[in-house]
Amino acid sequence: MPVRILITEGTRADCKEAVLLIQGLAADALLADKGYDTQEIVDYALTSDMAVVIPPKRNRKEQRKYDQHLYKLRHLVENAFLHLKRWRGIATRYAKNSASFLAAVQIRCIAIWAAVLA
């Protein structure tokens, strides 16, 4: 379920904003794909007492172990994006400015939460 949203320019790497997304959240584990395997994210998750479930990049000097069984649950994150993109305006980004796009995403998140809580 979507918990926090950040809108950035399209050329900015997602891993640059990951720490802002997880700040203040209480979780047992941080599940992410290889694109989020940065030392900053790993260090922040460990200091927040989260288990890091991110497969290490191939070029990482020190290959880190991760829970492969728990990593299989990451598809639930991808499913959340699929639910968001079911609204055509979000999938194709019809909004002319970021405030309108953010509002559309927030409305869709409310609809997703309402469907679950109903």
Side-chain angles (χ1 to χ4, degrees):
M1 300 306 302
V3 177
R4 191 173 287 165
I5 304 164
L6 279 177
I7 304 293
T8 62
E9 56 273 1
T11 57
R12 186 155 174 86
D14 293 339
C15 64
K16 300 287 185 189
E17 303 297 328
V19 172
L20 291 174
L21 282 173
I22 61 176
Q23 276 180 345
L25 294 179
D28 294 330
L30 174 65
L31 281 74
D33 61 15
K34 286 184 182 185
Y36 293 92
D37 182 30
T38 65
Q39 198 58 46
E40 179 186 12
I41 295 170
V42 170
D43 290 343
Y44 184 82
L46 291 174
T47 58
S48 299
D49 295 326
M50 293 182 204
V52 179
V53 186
I54 304 173
K57 290 182 182 175
R58 222 178 267 251
N59 63 352
R60 191 179 255 283
K61 289 185 180 185
E62 192 176 306
Q63 293 291 310
R64 190 181 61 259
K65 300 281 186 194
Y66 67 100
D67 186 345
Q68 293 180 354
H69 180 70
L70 187 57
Y71 182 72
K72 291 179 182 179
L73 295 176
R74 196 184 68 79
H75 78 280
L76 298 172
V77 175
E78 299 300 328
N79 290 349
F81 284 108
L82 289 175
H83 286 295
L84 282 173
K85 290 182 176 184
R86 282 188 182 162
W87 277 15
R88 187 171 160 198
I90 294 173
T92 57
R93 191 152 184 182
Y94 281 144
K96 299 290 184 205
N97 59 36
S98 59
S100 298
F101 181 70
L102 178 60
V105 172
Q106 289 172 334
I107 291 169
R108 181 63 177 153
C109 289
I110 291 169
I112 292 170
W113 273 98
V116 169
L117 296 175

